[in-house]
Amino acid sequence: MAQACLTQYFTPK
Amino acid sequence: ARLLHGSIFAKVIEGLRELVNEATWECSGNGITLQAMDSSHVALVSLVMRSEGFESYRCDRNMSLGISLVSMSKVLKTMGKDDSLTIRVNDDSDSIIIAMESQNQDKFADYELRLMDLDSEHLGIPDTDYSCAIKMPSSEFSRICRDMSIMGDSVLICTTKEGVKFSAKGDLGQGSIRLVQTTNIEKEEEAVIIEMKEAVALTFAVRYLSMFCKAAPLSPQVGLSLSEDTPLMCEFKIAEMGHVRFYLAPKIED
């Protein structure tokens, strides 16, 4: 399984 | 900002410093907040300490303070367990002053930490209506992370209306721990409470979960909020003051 990144879910402000 | 029990602040720092070595502390009239991601952008910590939770608090203008959590941790290790703690920054100063007072006012320690110039990358965390919210003893969760890390580096968290199941597998084999929802709740703090709108099954890297558990001394309970294909939210409340919230991106099928 691959580790996802938070930036795939939360948008940089 | 002054805390009668400086140990609360020490617990916050100990809860953060493994995940992030340095962070920008945003200070305003409402209190102190912090948001920081680990170097691989897999996990994020969001801290809120409201001004009314301090014994006294004054902030004449908003400030963003770049602080090394590693250095702060070393200084706070010199604090007596019953000491009060005052943190001060003078205007246009490039350092933060940490003052500790013994309970019987006979020992006063003062440290000055140089501030860092950090570029703060801020993420927008959407309000999420999670499919599942678990409340359980934080010591229990720490124990489960430790036990599951024996079997593998990922933990599958499955929730059903009966309870929650943590499982891990690796070269040794596999293991799982199932917690049944507490029915007769005598002591809320020891209960396992699951609010579930729909079942979820998500996989996370256990080493991040274990790092989050460094904040367990802050609160007897931990809150875990889960939704499919959504980062886990792991929350430790700071009594009458705020919270430390960790977010962790899931592991997904290749």
Side-chain angles (χ1 to χ4, degrees):
Chain A
M1 298 185 91
Q3 173 64 63
C5 254
L6 277 181
T7 39
Q8 291 166 246
Y9 303 91
F10 296 159
T11 47
K13 270 185 179 167
Chain B
R2 179 177 164 75
L3 277 171
L4 203 56
H5 303 293
S7 56
I8 293 175
F9 197 78
K11 287 174 184 169
V12 167
I13 297 295
E14 289 312 297
L16 270 51
R17 75 176 172 83
E18 285 210 7
L19 192 70
V20 289
N21 292 336
E22 57 219 20
T24 300
W25 297 66
E26 305 292 348
C27 304
S28 74
N30 304 324
I32 298 172
T33 61
L34 173 156
Q35 189 199 92
M37 277 191 283
D38 75 303
S39 50
S40 55
H41 288 189
V42 165
L44 177 145
V45 59
S46 170
L47 165 73
V48 168
M49 297 178 87
R50 289 186 299 275
S51 55
E52 54 271 18
F54 290 91
E55 191 202 354
S56 67
Y57 182 93
R58 180 169 61 78
C59 183
D60 300 338
R61 69 176 179 81
N62 292 2
M63 300 181 100
S64 296
L65 307 174
I67 295 177
S68 159
L69 302 182
V70 175
S71 307
M72 177 72 91
S73 167
K74 287 173 184 165
V75 167
L76 291 176
K77 284 224 174 14
T78 69
M79 183 168 59
K81 72 177 178 58
D82 299 322
D83 283 5
S84 68
L85 176 71
T86 304
I87 294 183
R88 227 190 340 267
V89 179
N90 298 322
D91 228 336
D92 68 26
S93 153
D94 63 355
S95 59
I96 185 170
I97 296 166
I98 301 162
M100 306 165 191
E101 277 173 43
S102 64
Q103 201 174 25
N104 45 19
Q105 314 263 316
D106 60 0
K107 178 181 172 188
F108 301 85
D110 280 284
Y111 296 89
E112 199 169 317
L113 266 190
R114 235 186 302 289
L115 290 171
M116 304 172 80
D117 201 0
L118 303 174
D119 57 341
S120 54
E121 58 213 344
H122 218 84
L123 287 191
I125 301 171
D127 280 337
T128 306
D129 183 13
Y130 289 98
S131 306
C132 189
I134 302 166
K135 263 213 180 76
M136 63 190 291
S138 55
S139 54
E140 183 63 61
F141 182 55
S142 299
R143 179 65 198 268
I144 289 170
C145 292
R146 194 170 51 232
D147 296 348
M148 289 292 96
S149 68
I150 294 166
M151 298 314 288
D153 56 9
S154 299
V155 178
L156 170 65
I157 303 178
C158 292
T159 61
T160 63
K161 57 185 172 304
E162 287 79 38
V164 54
K165 183 175 167 188
F166 301 85
S167 40
K169 62 178 184 290
D171 308 341
L172 314 186
Q174 61 183 356
S176 71
I177 295 170
R178 194 165 53 82
L179 296 182
V180 174
Q181 170 139 223
T182 309
T183 45
N184 57 337
I185 297 182
E186 274 113 31
K187 284 181 71 181
E188 164 105 10
E189 290 186 353
E190 289 159 14
V192 174
I193 301 162
I194 299 175
E195 280 165 41
M196 198 178 82
K197 297 190 178 80
E198 58 184 289
V200 294
L202 288 154
T203 301
F204 298 100
V206 70
R207 75 184 192 86
Y208 285 101
L209 299 179
S210 300
M211 275 195 265
F212 297 170
C213 290
K214 297 290 183 196
L218 276 170
S219 164
Q221 283 182 301
V222 64
L224 300 175
S225 299
L226 303 111
S227 283
E228 280 304 328
D229 197 27
T230 305
L232 163 80
M233 199 263 280
C234 171
E235 178 180 55
F236 298 94
K237 292 216 185 297
I238 307 172
E240 284 114 51
M241 180 164 230
H243 59 250
V244 173
R245 280 185 185 149
F246 294 104
Y247 295 86
L248 176 58
K251 295 188 100 169
I252 45 184
E253 294 300 338
D254 286 317

